[in-house]
Amino acid sequence: ETYDDAKEMEKLMEETFDAMHDLLKQIMVKNPTPGCLEDMFKHLHTWMVSEVEYERERAVSTWLKLLQYYVELMDPSQPDKFLIAGQFLGILIPRCTDPKPEIRQCAMDCVQ
């Protein structure tokens, strides 16, 4: 694998994740509810606790993007009904001590 091949692969991976994030945002636009956010979290959970570093990093960064987008969409006049808020924290708190600094910072941003 050459340097150019690695750069091309990195670019394709970035474009793929950008497209996935756009898709998840569109799903949230159609259903900006705590339940929708909980459903997305359940799908990311497996990768958030993975032993593979890049899987954890991608899952936690995707979760942060979803949380940020949800905050933009939420209606402040409606009470939030996060039924699994404890589960969110239970998964994210250990990531705050992750061996990789980027994952730790992203997890901290999620918790805040």
Side-chain angles (χ1 to χ4, degrees):
E1 180 177 351
T2 67
Y3 176 78
D4 290 336
D5 290 341
K7 290 301 275 182
E8 181 65 24
M9 187 179 298
E10 184 179 322
K11 181 181 177 216
L12 288 172
M13 189 64 87
E14 186 177 319
E15 290 172 355
T16 300
F17 274 91
D18 287 344
M20 181 187 74
H21 293 151
D22 288 342
L23 174 65
L24 293 173
K25 285 179 180 179
Q26 290 305 313
I27 292 170
M28 193 163 301
V29 164
K30 293 182 186 269
N31 186 16
T33 64
C36 180
L37 196 61
E38 290 172 9
D39 288 342
M40 290 184 188
F41 180 82
K42 288 175 186 174
H43 291 289
L44 290 172
H45 171 266
T46 301
W47 294 288
M48 285 184 175
V49 298
S50 171
E51 292 183 13
V52 181
E53 189 174 88
Y54 69 84
E55 289 179 355
R56 290 192 316 274
E57 184 174 12
R58 291 172 184 162
V60 173
S61 67
T62 296
W63 182 242
L64 178 60
K65 289 181 186 303
L66 287 171
L67 285 173
Q68 290 168 337
Y69 198 61
Y70 178 76
V71 168
E72 289 175 22
L73 290 174
M74 66 185 256
D75 181 358
S77 68
Q78 296 294 326
D80 278 335
K81 293 183 176 151
F82 282 111
L83 301 177
I84 60 171
Q87 185 180 0
F88 291 154
L89 292 174
I91 299 301
L92 286 169
I93 296 296
R95 297 288 61 86
C96 294
T97 61
D98 198 275
K100 186 167 184 183
E102 293 85 358
I103 297 173
R104 284 196 307 260
Q105 183 60 54
C106 197
M108 291 294 293
D109 292 342
C110 288
V111 172
Q112 290 176 353

